[in-house]
Amino acid sequence: MRIPLQVAIDQEQGVVTRIGPPATQFPGSMALGAGRSAPDARTAAAITGRELLAMGVNTNFAPVCDVNVNPLNPVIGTRSFSSHPDLAAELVAAQVAGYQRDGGVSSSAKHFPGHGDTATDSHVAFPVITHTREQWESIDAPPFKAAINEQIDMIMTAHLAFPALDDSGNPATLSKPIMTGVLRGELGYEGVIVTDSLAMQGVRDLYGDAEVAVRALLAGVDQLLMTPAMDDAFAAVLDAVRSGRIPREDVDAKVRRVLSLKYRRGIVARPYADPSAVSSVVGTPSHLAAADSVSDRTTTLVKNDAEALPIAPKGKKVLVTGYGVSTTATLAAALTAKGATVQTVQTGTSPTDAQVAAAVAAAADKDVVVVTTMKAWDTSVTDKRGGQQKLVKQLLATGTTVVVVAVRDPYDIAYFTSAPTYVATYSYSPVAIEAAARVIVGDVAPTASLPVDIPVAGDPDTVLYPFGHGLTY
C-alpha cells in the first residue's frame, strides 16, 4: 500500500506567510494577541487551514508557542502571541482547534522547549536560553501544555541550548533529556516530533549533517526537516539502525506515530485536493470579510497626546512615508479612497540622509504626515543607519501633525518618545494596513491593547508602556 505524503508549509500569517493573495491573509500572532480574542484566533486558523487543505497542503507548521519576553528577539518577535504565558496559551489552544478541528490540517506547535527569550537568531547562530527550570515551567511551558491538551498532531523542536533542562551543551533538537525526558516523559506528549530545519546554523555547530540526523532520531525526534545533506543523512541513519545504535523498535514507534497522524487526519483516505474546487474555498468574499473584521480588532492606539486621531481625511493634504513599497502604497490608497490628497515617499528599512531630507521636504505643505516604521529599534540588523529614527524625529521637527504607525514590532516608540501619536499594527500585511487606515480616519474605533510590555530604550527592566495599555475614541 502506498502512503500519501504530508505536504507542509509555514503559514503562520503575519511576517511568516508563504502563500499570499488570493489566499486570505491575517495579520499574525502578536496582532491576535493584541485583539485578546480566542474566537478570532480560532477563526483565523480555521480559514487558513481550510484554504491550505483546498490547495493540497495538509500540514501547517503553526502556531508559534514561544513567549516573547525578550524585546530584542530577532527571530520570534511578532510571531509570538504575547509576552504573557497565559494569553499565549489561550490563543495557542484556540488556533490548534481552528487548524485541526475546523480546518482539517495538522498543526505543529513550535519551537520546543521555547525560543522567546533570546537575542540570537538560530538560523545563523546557536542561542542559549538562560531560564531556570522554574522560569521554564512558568513562562515557556504553558503554551506547549495547552497545545498538547488540544491533542496537537505535531511539535517542532528548537535549535538552542537550554542548560536548565539539559546541561550537555547540545541543542534541544539533539537532546534526549529534553525531547524524550521532558516532552514525552513529563508533558506526556504522544504525537509526532519534527525538527526545525536542519539547514539552520543553530543545529550544525557541533556535528556534521549526517551525525545530526542520527542524533535527532536518538533524542526522540520522529521526522527530520530539510536536512541539507539528504544522501549522507540517509546513509548514516541506515548504518545506525543496522548497527543497533538506533534500536529497530524505536524506528517502528516513530513510523507508527507518523502513520497514525496520516490516518487520523484523513491524509490516507483523502490524499488529493480537487483543483476545480479551489476557487470556492480560497479567498472567498466571506473569508476576506472575516479577515477584515478580525484585523479591525487588532490595531492598537498606543499614544494620542495631541488628539490628532481620528483625522477627517476629506480635503486634507497627506504625506505617507516610511517603510515599504506595498505598505505605503496600501495606506496611501486607503486614505485617497476617503478623500485625502496623498503623496507617497517610500524610504525603506534603512533610509539615507538624502531620503530623509526628501521626505521632510515633502512634509512642508502637508496637513498630516503618516510615517510607517518597521523594526526601527533594530539598528544592528534592520535599520543599520538609524535612518528610520532620524526620519521620524526630523518629521516631528517640522511641526506638521505626524502619525507614526509601527507596522511590525510595537517597540519602536521607545526610540522617538516625543512622537505624540503612535499606532501599532504588528504586521505590514495589507489586511493589517487597511485596518490601520480605518482606525486613522475614524471608521473603526481602536479596541486592541498591547500584548507585550514596551520597555524604555536601552533599559529592558523599565516599562514605558505596559502590557494591556491601549487607547480608544
Side-chain angles (χ1 to χ4, degrees):
M1 179 182 180
R2 293 183 177 182
I3 305 299
L5 294 173
Q6 282 181 270
V7 181
I9 197 170
D10 285 315
Q11 188 80 350
E12 298 170 12
Q13 301 286 17
V15 297
V16 178
T17 300
R18 307 305 187 204
I19 302 177
T24 303
Q25 308 295 294
F26 287 91
S29 296
M30 191 170 283
L32 294 170
R36 298 294 199 282
S37 171
D40 280 354
R42 183 165 179 167
T43 293
I47 289 173
T48 300
R50 290 181 191 126
E51 294 193 0
L52 288 175
L53 195 61
M55 292 183 281
V57 179
N58 53 42
T59 302
N60 193 14
F61 292 136
V64 170
C65 290
D66 307 311
V67 180
N68 200 72
V69 293
N70 188 339
L72 302 181
N73 195 324
V75 66
I76 303 301
T78 56
R79 299 169 65 194
S80 166
F81 290 105
S82 177
S83 61
H84 279 224
D86 291 347
L87 177 58
E90 179 186 13
L91 299 187
V92 162
Q95 289 226 302
V96 174
Y99 286 126
Q100 297 191 166
R101 295 187 198 174
D102 306 332
V105 298
S106 285
S107 177
S108 179
K110 58 192 189 186
H111 309 79
F112 191 83
H115 210 314
D117 190 5
T118 175
T120 302
D121 184 348
S122 55
H123 289 85
V124 296
F126 184 33
V128 178
I129 303 294
T130 58
H131 285 185
T132 64
R133 175 67 191 229
E134 292 72 23
Q135 287 174 315
W136 178 79
E137 290 278 2
S138 62
I139 296 171
D140 303 289
F144 291 101
K145 290 180 178 178
I148 293 169
N149 287 340
E150 282 293 331
Q151 298 183 311
I152 193 163
D153 283 351
M154 304 178 73
I155 291 179
M156 179 180 283
T157 70
H159 302 325
L160 47 79
F162 210 122
L165 302 182
D166 178 4
D167 62 4
S168 69
N170 280 323
T173 298
L174 310 183
S175 168
K176 190 167 186 176
I178 294 176
M179 291 301 134
T180 299
V182 176
L183 181 52
R184 294 223 186 272
E186 296 181 26
L187 300 190
Y189 178 60
E190 297 179 351
V192 171
I193 301 175
V194 59
T195 72
D196 204 344
S197 168
L198 295 179
M200 293 166 60
Q201 195 59 42
V203 78
R204 303 176 76 187
D205 276 356
L206 299 180
Y207 309 102
D209 292 329
E211 179 66 9
V212 163
V214 173
R215 286 178 177 256
L217 295 173
L218 286 169
V221 165
D222 301 307
Q223 290 184 328
L224 308 175
L225 180 64
M226 297 172 64
T227 176
M230 178 65 76
D231 291 345
D232 292 343
F234 183 72
V237 170
L238 280 183
D239 287 346
V241 173
R242 287 167 177 160
S243 71
R245 184 182 177 194
I246 300 177
R248 182 60 183 263
E249 57 268 25
D250 286 2
V251 176
D252 290 343
K254 296 175 192 300
V255 171
R256 279 194 297 270
R257 280 190 284 267
V258 173
L259 291 177
S260 176
L261 181 157
K262 291 183 177 183
Y263 275 95
R264 183 174 65 252
R265 197 52 53 203
I267 295 171
V268 174
R270 299 176 300 279
Y272 302 115
D274 179 3
S276 67
V278 171
S279 61
S280 67
V281 178
V282 176
T284 62
S286 64
H287 284 181
L288 297 176
D292 284 341
S293 180
V294 167
S295 299
D296 282 342
R297 292 186 284 275
T298 64
T299 304
T300 306
L301 179 59
V302 177
K303 194 174 182 182
N304 196 24
D305 288 356
E307 297 187 349
L309 294 183
I311 65 170
K314 192 171 183 179
K316 291 283 198 314
K317 291 189 292 183
V318 178
L319 172 66
V320 173
T321 189
Y323 163 76
V325 174
S326 64
T327 299
T328 53
T330 299
L331 187 53
L335 296 176
T336 299
K338 288 296 178 179
T341 300
V342 182
Q343 180 183 358
T344 304
V345 179
Q346 194 274 143
T347 57
T349 55
S350 188
T352 63
D353 288 345
Q355 288 173 312
V356 172
V360 169
D365 65 341
K366 301 302 187 292
D367 299 305
V368 178
V369 175
V370 182
V371 55
T372 57
T373 65
M374 201 285 280
K375 295 187 78 170
W377 65 268
D378 191 359
T379 54
S380 66
V381 178
T382 305
D383 187 17
K384 295 179 181 178
R385 299 185 182 91
Q388 291 189 65
Q389 295 178 31
K390 290 179 187 177
L391 174 65
V392 173
K393 290 173 183 177
Q394 291 189 31
L395 288 170
L396 290 170
T398 66
T400 305
T401 298
V402 175
V403 178
V404 182
V405 182
V407 299
R408 185 163 170 176
D409 300 358
Y411 309 113
D412 292 356
I413 183 65
Y415 296 83
F416 28 77
T417 55
S418 60
T421 310
Y422 184 77
V423 175
T425 69
Y426 314 96
S427 172
Y428 43 75
S429 174
V431 72
I433 301 304
E434 289 165 356
R438 290 190 286 273
V439 166
I440 288 170
V441 302
D443 287 351
V444 171
T447 58
S449 54
L450 289 172
V452 295
D453 292 331
I454 297 178
V456 170
D459 184 3
D461 296 324
T462 301
V463 175
L464 181 64
Y465 293 98
F467 172 94
H469 170 82
L471 306 174
T472 191
Y473 36 78

